[in-house]
C-alpha cells in the first residue's frame, strides 16, 4: 500500500526495465448456445515497467475480455497471470482501469470522484487531488458533477482518479473511442504527457490503428475467433510522433492491411 | 432538478398554487350560485369557520371545537410508527431481494401475492389480532406502506449500473464501502420514490385504520362526522389530511436531500 504512493524514482526508471506483468498461456472460453466459445487462446505477453503497450484488434477479438481478466473482473479459463511475481485474482488498485463508457460516480463532484479511491490522511488527499486536478487540467471544474461536463472531461476525471492511486499497471479499454476526433487527439497527447511525467506502465486497448501507432512502444496485433496474438510490432518512431509524417502513415497502412487480411 | 438550478422568479413560486386557487374559486362560485346545495358540499366560508373552530376552539363547532391537536397527535404518531416500521422492514428486504437472486426467488412470489390483497381485507383480521386501538392502525399503515418501499428499493438496487461496482472494485473499496458509498447512493432516487409513495399510502391507510371505533385521530373525525351528518367536518378532515400529507411529503423529501448527497445531486 505504502509503496504505491511513491513515485518511481528516477534511478529505478533509468535502470534496465524489469518485467512487471507476465501472462502465460492465457485462455478464456465462454459457454455459448450448446457449445463453448473460445474467446482467447494461448496469450503470452511480457510487459516491462514503464512500457506503453497497445492491444490492437477488430471488434470481437477478445481484447476487452483480455483487459477484464487482467483487471481481475473475470477469471481466465486457464493460464497464469503474474503481476510483480504475484498471481492476479481480484480487482484491485494496483491494476486500474479507464473504461470506454462513463464509469464515474454521478453523485460525486469531479474532485470527489478523483479522491474516491485514495485512502490517506485528509491533508494528503487534498494535496494529491489538487495535484491531479491540475495534471488533467480540471482545477476550475472541481465542483462540477459528471453530468455537467463533456465526454472528454469525464475521461480526464476517469484518468485522474486512477493515476492518483499510482497503479502498477494502467489498463485502458478504448478510453477515447467515444470522443470526437479533436478531443481524442487532445486526450492522447495528455496521456502521453502524463506517461512521460509519471512513468506508468500502460496497456491500451484500441481498434484505431493510428491511435496505436501514435501511442505504443509495442503493438500486439490480435486475431479474431479465437483471439490470439498474431504479431508483435515494435514502434521505434521518435516521440512526439506526427500523424502526418510519411513513416507514420506507412506503418499505419501496413497494420491496416494486416488487420484486413 | 439539481441543487444549483437558478431561481426563476416569482412565476415559478406561484404556479403550484394556480390549481388549488382555481378549485377554490370554482367551489365558491358553485356554492354562491346555488348550483351545488349545501347538504352535498357546504359553502367554503362555512368550511373555513368549521376548520377554524376545530383547530383553535370556539363556539358552534361542538363536539369538535379545539380537538384538532389531540387528533393530529394521535394520527401523526400512528403514521410515524407505521411508516417507520415499513421503512425498517421494507428497505432491508428490498435491498437483499434486489442484490441476491436467491432471496428474490424465495420471497417475491409470496410478497407479490400479499400485495394484491386490498388493505381493507386485513382490517377485520387486524381487529381480531390487535383489538381496537393504535396497534391495528399501525399494522395497517405499515403493511400498506411496506410494498412500495420494498419494490422500489429492490428495483433501484437491482438497476445500479454494474460498471460502478467494477470501478469501485478496482479503486479498492471494501464490501462495507461498496454498500454505503456506491450501492445506496446509486439507488437513492428510487429509494426516495418508494419512501414518498409509501408515506402517501400511509396517510390513506391511516383513515382506514381509524375507521374502527378509535376515539381520536383525523380518520376518526371523518367517520364520526359522517355518523352525525356533519358534512362540513368531513370536508375539513379531507382538506387537513391533504395538507398534512403534502407537508409530510415535502418534509421527507427535504430531509433526504439534507442527509444524502446523492439525494441532492441525482434526480
Amino acid at each position: 500500500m505504502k509503496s504505491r504512493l511513491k513515485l518511481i524514482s528516477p534511478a529505478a526508471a533509468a535502470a534496465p526495465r524489469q518485467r512487471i506483468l507476465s501472462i502465460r498461456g492465457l485462455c478464456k472460453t465462454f459457454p455459448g448456445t450448446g457449445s463453448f466459445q473460445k474467446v482467447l487462446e494461448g496469450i503470452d505477453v511480457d510487459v516491462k515497467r514503464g512500457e506503453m503497450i497497445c492491444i490492437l484488434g477488430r471488434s470481437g477479438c477478445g481484447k476487452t475480455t483480455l483487459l477484464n481478466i487482467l483487471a481481475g473482473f473475470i477469471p481466465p479459463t486457464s493460464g497464469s497471470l503474474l503481476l510483480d511475481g504475484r498471481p492476479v485474482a481480484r480487482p484491485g488498485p494496483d491494476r486500474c482501469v479507464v473504461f470506454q463508457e462513463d464509469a464515474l460516480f454521478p453523485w460525486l463532484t469531479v474532485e470527489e470522484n478523483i479522491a474516491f479511491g485514495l485512502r490517506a490522511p485528509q491533508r494528503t488527499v487534498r494535496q494529491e487531488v489538487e495535484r491531479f486536478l491540475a495534471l488533467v487540467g480540471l482545477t476550475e471544474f472541481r465542483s462540477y458533477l459528471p453530468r455537467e461536463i463533456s465526454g472528454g472531461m469525464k475521461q480526464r476525471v476517469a484518468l485522474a482518479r486512477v493515476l492518483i492511486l499510482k497503479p502498477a499497471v494502467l489498463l485502458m479499454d478504448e478510453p477515447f473511442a467515444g470522443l470526437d476526433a479533436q478531443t481524442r487527439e487532445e486526450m492522447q497527447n495528455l496521456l502521453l504527457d502524463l506517461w512521460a511525467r509519471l512513468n506508468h506502465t500502460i496497456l491500451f486497448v484500441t481498434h484505431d490503428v493510428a491511435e496505436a501507432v501514435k501511442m505504443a512502444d509495442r503493438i500486439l496485433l490480435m486475431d479474431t475467433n479465437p483471439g490470439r496474438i498474431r504479431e508483435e510490432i515494435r514502434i521505434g518512431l521518435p516521440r512526439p510522433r506526427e500523424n502526418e509524417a510519411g513513416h507514420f502513415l506507412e506503418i499505419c497502412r501496413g497494420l491496416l492491411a494486416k488487420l484486413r487480411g | 432538478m439539481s441543487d444549483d438550478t437558478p431561481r426563476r422568479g416569482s412565476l415559478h413560486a406561484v404556479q403550484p398554487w394556480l390549481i388549488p386557487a382555481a378549485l377554490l374559486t370554482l367551489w365558491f362560485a358553485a356554492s354562491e350560485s346555488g348550483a351545488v346545495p349545501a347538504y352535498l358540499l357546504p359553502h367554503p366560508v362555512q368550511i373555513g369557520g368549521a376548520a377554524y373552530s376545530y383547530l383553535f376552539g370556539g363556539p358552534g363547532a361542538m363536539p369538535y371545537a379545539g380537538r384538532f391537536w389531540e387528533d393530529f397527535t394521535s394520527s401523526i404518531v400512528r403514521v410515524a410508527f407505521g411508516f417507520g416500521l415499513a421503512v425498517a422492514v421494507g428497505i432491508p428486504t428490498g435491498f437483499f431481494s434486489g442484490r441476491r437472486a436467491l432471496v428474490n426467488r424465495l420471497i417475491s412470489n409470496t410478497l407479490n401475492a400479499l400485495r394484491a390483497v386490498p388493505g381493507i381485507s386485513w382490517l377485520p383480521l387486524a381487529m381480531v389480532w390487535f383489538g381496537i386501538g393504535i396497534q391495528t392502525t399501525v399494522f395497517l399503515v405499515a403493511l400498506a406502506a411496506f410494498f412500495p418501499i420494498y419494490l422500489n428499493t429492490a428495483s433501484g438496487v437491482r438497476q445500479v449500473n454494474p460498471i460502478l461496482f467494477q470501478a469501485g472494485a478496482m479503486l479498492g473499496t471494501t464490501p462495507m464501502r461498496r454498500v454505503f458509498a456506491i450501492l445506496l447512493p446509486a439507488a437513492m432516487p428510487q429509494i426516495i420514490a418508494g419512501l414518498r409513495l409509501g408515506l402517501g399510502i400511509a396517510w390513506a391507510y391511516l383513515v382506514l385504520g381509524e375507521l374502527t371505533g378509535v376515539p381520536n385521530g383525523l380518520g376518526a373525525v371523518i367517520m364520526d362526522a359522517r355518523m352525525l351528518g356533519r358534512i362540513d367536518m368531513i370536508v375539513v378532515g379531507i382538506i387537513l389530511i391533504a395538507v398534512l400529507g403534502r407537508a409530510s411529503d415535502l418534509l421527507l423529501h427535504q430531509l433526504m436531500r439534507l442527509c444524502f448527497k446523492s439525494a441532492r445531486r441525482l434526480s
Side-chain angles (χ1 to χ4, degrees), chain B residues 154-194:
Chain B
S155 111
V157 156
R158 199 174 294 128
Q159 281 168 25
V160 175
N161 189 346
I163 204 169
L164 295 182
F165 295 119
Q166 290 194 332
M170 65 134 190
L171 294 170
T173 48
T174 58
M176 199 62 151
R177 195 149 182 256
R178 185 166 63 234
V179 171
F180 289 101
I182 300 178
L183 193 51
L184 276 183
M188 189 54 75
Q190 268 195 281
I191 294 178
I192 291 179

Side-chain angles (χ1 to χ4, degrees), chain A residues 112-131:
Chain A
E112 287 165 343
N113 265 293
I114 293 176
F116 190 90
L118 193 61
R119 311 270 84 196
Q122 215 175 12
R123 229 182 97 232
T124 320
V125 171
R126 244 199 326 268
Q127 285 169 353
E128 285 291 282
V129 168
E130 204 64 47
R131 173 162 162 250

Side-chain angles (χ1 to χ4, degrees), chain B residues 143-229:
Chain B
L143 189 70
F146 166 79
F147 291 107
I149 295 173
Y150 152 74
L151 283 173
N152 280 281
T153 304
S155 111
V157 156
R158 199 174 294 128
Q159 281 168 25
V160 175
N161 189 346
I163 204 169
L164 295 182
F165 295 119
Q166 290 194 332
M170 65 134 190
L171 294 170
T173 48
T174 58
M176 199 62 151
R177 195 149 182 256
R178 185 166 63 234
V179 171
F180 289 101
I182 300 178
L183 193 51
L184 276 183
M188 189 54 75
Q190 268 195 281
I191 294 178
I192 291 179
L195 291 177
R196 294 178 68 184
L197 279 170
L199 187 57
I201 290 180
W203 283 101
Y205 278 77
L206 171 79
V207 178
L208 182 63
E210 287 177 346
L211 282 179
T212 51
V214 286
N216 47 25
L218 293 167
V221 163
I222 292 177
M223 288 321 291
D224 200 46
R226 190 191 67 91
M227 305 279 218
L228 298 181

